[in-house]
Amino acid sequence: MGVSARLVAERVEAAHRECWSVVLAATVRVTRDLDLAEDCAQEAFVRALRAWPEELPDNPAGWLTTVSKRLALDKLRRETTLRRKLPLLVEEPGEVEQPTDPLRLVFTCCHPALARDSQVALTLRLICGLTTREVAAGLLISEATAAARITRAKKKIAAAGIPYRIPADDELASRLDVVLTVVQLVYTAGHVAAGPELTRADLTGRALELAQLLVRLMPDEPEPQALLGLLLMTQARGDARVSEDGELVLLADQDRSRWDVRLLAEGVSRATAALRKADPPGRFALQAAVAGLHVTAPSWEETDWVQVVRMYDAMLLGWPSPIVALNRAAAQSLVPGADLVAVLGELDALGKEPALKAYAYLPATRADVLARLQRPAEAAAAYDAAIALTANGAEQRFLRRRRASLPTANPGA
């Protein structure tokens, strides 16, 4: 008996979310060409829509990988000038497929020959299977800019013959920071996903797997440990972020008894080890320290906001960015006795930063500060701006509820 088209479409969509990077990485081994591998992987998913109504495979990832590789081999056999035209992504002799293939693909995308912004855009596209529009939203850039970065990066990989492998030990350090950045961005893309659902478990899960692979690859490096600790502590709060009716619950209002104790313990342990080993601590160790201050506080009110601000101060000294400055201002606004007018001035100044023009958390933070300053009309306008910039349905509903709760705001305005 056949399978309904709706069920097949759901299974193929789920497989795309869960298996895309594995299928693509395995196909790259055959093609040595990113564009060709991506085309074959996409075609495999299209063929699944036609073949799976007859019988759903027991191992969707295996089925898709096999089909994609066969498509690639067929195309390569028809290419008589293969050896002359595709000397790309060279694989070491005698290698076989292994679970680190997606990590190899990350390191390929993060080769130092590529511009930093192109490294990140290409990895989000290939590893996550994000659309160009989703990549643009995650990086706070236009869709055209994201497409151009991805295209340039692929051309550079082809022209430079960048190898498809995990770098030798003496090359790892030059690529580690951007690889860690990309893994964090993958997690962030899933933690607050574009669309109606708050999260995408496939992306958060993929980021955790990559972070774990990095720790195994570089067990003595503190920054991979710190990133893994940060992600584990964030993941531990996952169930408490969503109410029974599917609505967003901020950290301040979460039921801490719903946090995953096992993940918290491992995350805090890894973050603590990274902080002890790093001298001075790196930016991921400092971010993990902030997360640790949150999860070890008995309650939101008892959070050591002064220490949180100090962590952001340290980040700004070593790795200044508008987003870190925004996070610092948000934390400063929660320090007991904080000068909220001064914080608002900082936020207004950050509004001039090009990188934050499309960043919904800036107007959302302004709205919160304005509401506490009892300036509801301005807060309502700031909430409107945040809602317009937010691509996540759960966040939009949360912001609308906050706007509606303002004492003199008109919710229908």
Side-chain angles (χ1 to χ4, degrees):
M1 181 179 295
V3 183
S4 73
R6 180 178 178 181
L7 178 58
V8 168
E10 291 174 352
R11 293 290 179 86
V12 172
E13 182 180 0
H16 187 274
R17 289 187 169 198
E18 296 168 7
C19 312
W20 168 259
S21 63
V22 174
V23 175
L24 179 63
T27 310
V28 167
R29 281 183 169 273
V30 174
T31 65
R32 314 293 198 270
D33 181 296
L34 287 174
D35 281 326
L36 179 56
E38 195 172 2
D39 288 344
C40 292
Q42 289 171 344
E43 177 62 22
F45 284 95
V46 172
R47 294 198 177 194
L49 287 170
R50 298 196 295 266
W52 290 6
E54 299 300 322
E55 182 180 4
L56 289 173
D58 294 331
N59 180 5
W63 190 98
L64 289 160
T65 300
T66 298
V67 170
S68 182
K69 290 169 68 175
R70 285 175 179 170
L71 287 167
L73 287 170
D74 288 344
K75 291 183 180 183
L76 291 177
R77 289 190 185 104
R78 293 194 294 269
E79 177 53 78
T80 58
T81 58
L82 169 65
R83 291 185 179 277
R84 177 170 55 85
K85 292 182 68 176
L86 299 176
L88 310 179
L89 301 172
V90 177
E91 190 176 336
E92 298 300 319
E95 288 186 339
V96 296
E97 289 180 24
Q98 51 189 284
T100 56
D101 270 0
L103 190 58
R104 289 167 176 255
L105 195 51
V106 173
F107 272 105
T108 299
C109 296
C110 295
H111 194 279
L114 304 178
R116 177 70 172 253
D117 53 9
S118 296
Q119 294 172 343
V120 175
L122 182 62
T123 308
L124 291 174
R125 176 73 185 94
L126 296 183
I127 292 296
C128 300
L130 297 183
T131 65
T132 304
R133 177 175 296 180
E134 289 171 332
V135 172
L139 298 180
L140 307 178
I141 56 177
S142 70
E143 189 171 349
T145 300
R149 290 180 183 180
I150 292 167
T151 299
R152 282 198 303 269
K154 287 181 178 179
K155 288 181 178 179
K156 182 69 175 182
I157 286 173
I162 291 172
Y164 173 54
R165 62 178 175 83
I166 293 175
D169 289 350
D170 59 350
E171 301 175 86
L172 283 172
S174 64
R175 291 195 225 178
L176 180 58
D177 184 72
V178 69
V179 169
L180 293 171
T181 299
V182 164
V183 172
Q184 185 180 35
L185 282 170
V186 172
Y187 189 90
T188 301
H191 187 64
V192 181
E197 301 297 325
L198 180 60
T199 61
R200 278 185 56 177
D202 58 308
L203 296 183
T204 55
R206 192 168 301 154
L208 280 165
E209 290 169 3
L210 290 169
Q212 288 162 345
L213 285 172
L214 283 167
V215 168
R216 289 201 289 272
L217 178 67
M218 309 175 75
D220 296 325
E221 286 289 332
E223 286 289 80
Q225 289 277 5
L227 176 61
L228 180 55
L230 171 63
L231 299 189
L232 288 169
M233 285 184 280
T234 307
Q235 189 77 356
R237 306 196 302 264
D239 287 346
R241 290 180 70 223
V242 183
S243 66
E244 292 183 359
D245 55 357
E247 297 303 329
L248 171 64
V249 181
L250 292 188
L251 180 58
D253 303 314
Q254 288 175 13
D255 178 357
R256 299 188 174 214
S257 68
R258 296 182 61 194
W259 291 355
D260 188 314
V261 176
R262 181 185 61 82
L263 290 180
L264 279 181
E266 183 181 353
V268 170
S269 174
R270 290 186 180 277
T272 301
L275 284 164
R276 287 174 176 168
K277 188 178 295 185
D279 185 22
R283 64 189 180 98
F284 291 101
L286 291 170
Q287 290 178 63
V290 170
L293 288 167
H294 283 301
V295 302
T296 57
S299 67
W300 173 260
E301 292 75 17
E302 295 172 272
T303 303
D304 189 345
W305 292 109
V306 172
Q307 191 65 11
V308 171
V309 170
R310 286 174 181 160
M311 294 299 104
Y312 283 123
D313 284 337
M315 281 184 239
L316 283 171
L317 282 174
W319 303 271
S321 83
I323 291 179
V324 173
L326 172 58
N327 289 336
R328 185 205 178 278
Q332 180 63 42
S333 77
L334 295 166
V335 172
D339 182 347
L340 294 182
V341 174
V343 172
L344 184 62
E346 292 180 28
L347 295 173
D348 290 341
L350 287 171
K352 300 174 184 177
E353 292 284 349
L356 297 181
K357 291 294 185 184
Y359 196 53
Y361 296 128
L362 174 56
T365 304
R366 285 190 75 253
D368 177 69
V369 172
L370 285 163
R372 285 189 278 150
L373 285 169
Q374 299 183 359
R375 293 158 62 174
E378 294 171 82
Y383 275 128
D384 286 339
I387 291 165
L389 292 172
T390 301
N392 182 269
E395 285 196 325
Q396 287 176 345
R397 293 191 298 273
F398 172 84
L399 291 169
R400 288 193 183 102
R401 291 195 303 274
R402 281 291 177 96
R403 186 192 190 284
S405 70
L406 294 170
T408 60
N410 179 3

